[in-house]
């Protein structure tokens, strides 16, 4: 990566790096967009209905020593805390990031594999 930056600078070009902290992005996954992406990945209609049911209008109640909280928390975005599917759904959500960047004329991130590695 540094080699590419030095080459760009030596050629009179600008060089830069954008680093993204995906920890909070994980919580901000839009369910409607995720379902559309799953459809683009050719998930079956039945699977899409299941994921829609899994993601939409979910409620969370906290229970401690048999006492349950009265407030229901609705999750409008992101996977649910502690869910096994969460990391996989997030990876499916960002899987097309390199293609999107190319569509805007930006180079594919050198570290895209690193992003996928660190998210698993």
């Amino acid at each position: 990566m540094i080699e590419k930056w030095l080459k760009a600078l030596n050629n009179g070009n600008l060089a830069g790096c954008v680093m993204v902290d995906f920890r909070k992005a994980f919580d901000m996954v839009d369910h409607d967009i995720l379902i559309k992406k799953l459809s683009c990945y050719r998930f079956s209609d039945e699977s899409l209905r299941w994921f829609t049911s899994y993601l939409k209008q979910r409620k969370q109640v906290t229970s401690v020593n048999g006492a349950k909280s009265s407030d229901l928390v609705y999750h409008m975005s992101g996977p649910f805390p502690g869910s096994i599917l969460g990391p996989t759904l997030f990876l499916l959500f960002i899987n097309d990031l390199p293609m999107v960047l190319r569509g805007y004329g930006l180079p594919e991130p050198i570290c895209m594999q690193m992003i996928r590695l660190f998210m698993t």
Side-chain angles (χ1 to χ4, degrees), residues 31-49:
H31 294 159
D32 292 327
I33 295 173
L34 177 59
I35 295 297
K36 287 178 188 172
K37 286 187 177 198
L38 295 178
S39 175
C40 289
Y41 293 137
R42 299 181 184 241
F43 276 60
S44 69
D45 289 341
E46 185 177 347
S47 295
L48 293 174
R49 283 191 298 275

Side-chain angles (χ1 to χ4, degrees), residues 7 10 18 20 24 36-38 45 49 63 71 75 87 95 97 100 104 114-115 117 120:
K7 185 177 179 182
N10 287 336
V18 176
V20 180
K24 284 297 174 190
K36 287 178 188 172
K37 286 187 177 198
L38 295 178
D45 289 341
R49 283 191 298 275
S63 175
D71 295 328
H75 290 278
N95 191 49
L97 184 58
V100 170
Y104 284 100
M114 298 290 283
I115 290 172
L117 177 67
T120 59

Side-chain angles (χ1 to χ4, degrees), residues 18-116:
V18 176
M19 296 190 181
V20 180
D21 181 354
F22 280 105
R23 286 177 291 184
K24 284 297 174 190
F26 188 76
D27 297 333
M28 301 305 296
V29 171
D30 182 288
H31 294 159
D32 292 327
I33 295 173
L34 177 59
I35 295 297
K36 287 178 188 172
K37 286 187 177 198
L38 295 178
S39 175
C40 289
Y41 293 137
R42 299 181 184 241
F43 276 60
S44 69
D45 289 341
E46 185 177 347
S47 295
L48 293 174
R49 283 191 298 275
W50 186 89
F51 277 107
T52 301
S53 171
Y54 174 75
L55 293 169
K56 299 284 182 171
Q57 298 176 350
R58 298 290 291 205
K59 302 171 187 172
Q60 181 176 346
V61 177
T62 303
S63 175
V64 177
N65 294 330
K68 293 183 181 180
S69 64
S70 58
D71 295 328
L72 297 178
V73 179
Y74 290 91
H75 290 278
M76 303 304 285
S77 62
F80 305 103
S83 83
I84 293 172
L85 285 175
T88 302
L89 290 174
F90 182 72
L91 288 174
L92 287 169
F93 188 77
I94 66 165
N95 191 49
D96 61 350
L97 184 58
M99 183 178 63
V100 170
L101 293 176
R102 280 193 304 272
Y104 284 100
L106 299 170
E108 181 171 335
I110 296 169
C111 298
M112 196 61 204
Q113 296 83 4
M114 298 290 283
I115 290 172
R116 290 190 182 114

